[in-house]
């Protein structure tokens, strides 16, 4: 006697595997570095880190190449988050977030290129000077995001970056028969914009420094007054 065949029950598809920790050897993104920098700024504001410790760790953040290099910098700190009784801070910006898009390119070949005044700086700017000069003045710029990266290349030329005194400024680069100089700044405001200048110079000059007397907070007040807010 044949056994009655039972209909097979459908097998449920396997769900996605739970997300695990990010591999430590993966290349770090700008968002990864910004997240770690947020934790460090929060720790300094709470008194967990001194100003010197904070400056040293932030410098390592923007030199890190992999996620594994970032993790030890915050291993002894709590995860970033709003302190009890305090609302989470909003982005430090003067207006709506700028739409995402390609990097802005400033090129000077046997010429000069200047970006100054009240303009909305994007997340990335590429500056290239060949027997020319590029000037980037951020003292009146509108920051639509916390982290701004400037990639500067100077060959027999110069790239000069000016920033307000009360933001954070970091950089990493090389001078080959030339000069690469970034005056490191660490803002007391944990929500202040961060400008990172990277690149190199060959028989040229790359320089980033604060412009004395220029404070971004003053510009914020002027804009609010102009808009009647």
């Amino acid at each position: 006697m044949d056994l009655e065949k039972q209909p097979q029950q459908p097998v449920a598809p396997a769900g996605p595997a739970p997300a695990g920790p990010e591999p430590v050897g993966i290349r770090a993104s700008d968002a990864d570095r910004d997240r770690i920098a947020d934790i460090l700024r929060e720790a300094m504001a709470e008194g967990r880190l001194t100003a010197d410790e904070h400056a040293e760790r932030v410098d390592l953040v923007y030199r890190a190449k992999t996620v594994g290099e970032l993790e030890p910098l915050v291993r002894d700190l709590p995860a970033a988050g709003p302190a009890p009784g305090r609302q989470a801070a909003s982005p430090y910006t003067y207006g709506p977030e700028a739409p995402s898009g390609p990097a802005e390119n400033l090129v000077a070949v046997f010429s000069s290129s200047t970006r100054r005044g009240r303009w909305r700086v994007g997340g990335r700017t590429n500056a290239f000077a060949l027997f020319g000069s590029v000037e980037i003045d951020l003292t009146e710029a509108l920051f639509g995001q916390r982290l701004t990266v400037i990639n500067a290349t100077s060959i027999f030329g110069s790239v000069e970056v000016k920033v307000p005194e009360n933001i954070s400024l970091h950089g990493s680069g090389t001078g080959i028969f030339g000069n690469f100089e970034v005056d490191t700044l660490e803002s007391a405001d944990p929500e202040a914009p961060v400008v990172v200048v990277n690149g190199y110079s060959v028989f040229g000059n790359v320089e980033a420094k604060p412009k004395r007397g220029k404070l971004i907070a003053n510009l914020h007040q002027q804009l609010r007054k102009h808009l009647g807010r």
Side-chain angles (χ1 to χ4, degrees), residues 76-97:
D76 58 344
L77 300 174
R86 186 179 71 183
Q87 292 183 344
S90 59
Y92 198 104
T93 178
Y94 298 127
E97 291 285 339

Side-chain angles (χ1 to χ4, degrees), residues 177-201:
F177 295 105
N179 178 60
F180 187 98
E181 182 178 356
V182 176
D183 290 352
T184 300
L185 288 176
E186 205 59 59
S187 176
D189 184 351
E191 299 302 324
V194 177
V195 175
V196 178
V197 180
N198 298 320
Y200 64 92
S201 67

Side-chain angles (χ1 to χ4, degrees), residues 104 150 182 219:
E104 179 173 5
I150 298 175
V182 176
L219 299 177

Side-chain angles (χ1 to χ4, degrees), residues 115-200:
R115 201 74 159 89
R116 65 160 67 102
R118 182 156 293 170
W119 59 290
R120 179 170 292 282
V121 59
R124 285 186 177 276
T125 298
N126 299 321
F128 177 78
L130 174 64
F131 290 100
S133 64
V134 174
E135 179 186 354
I136 302 175
D137 190 335
L138 300 175
T139 56
E140 296 183 19
L142 307 181
F143 291 86
Q145 64 289 313
R146 179 175 297 173
L147 177 63
T148 297
V149 177
I150 298 175
N151 298 311
T153 302
S154 172
I155 302 174
F156 291 98
S158 68
V159 176
E160 183 178 8
V161 181
K162 299 175 183 177
V163 303
E165 287 189 296
N166 58 340
I167 72 167
S168 294
L169 174 64
H170 303 279
S172 177
T174 302
I176 303 173
F177 295 105
N179 178 60
F180 187 98
E181 182 178 356
V182 176
D183 290 352
T184 300
L185 288 176
E186 205 59 59
S187 176
D189 184 351
E191 299 302 324
V194 177
V195 175
V196 178
V197 180
N198 298 320
Y200 64 92

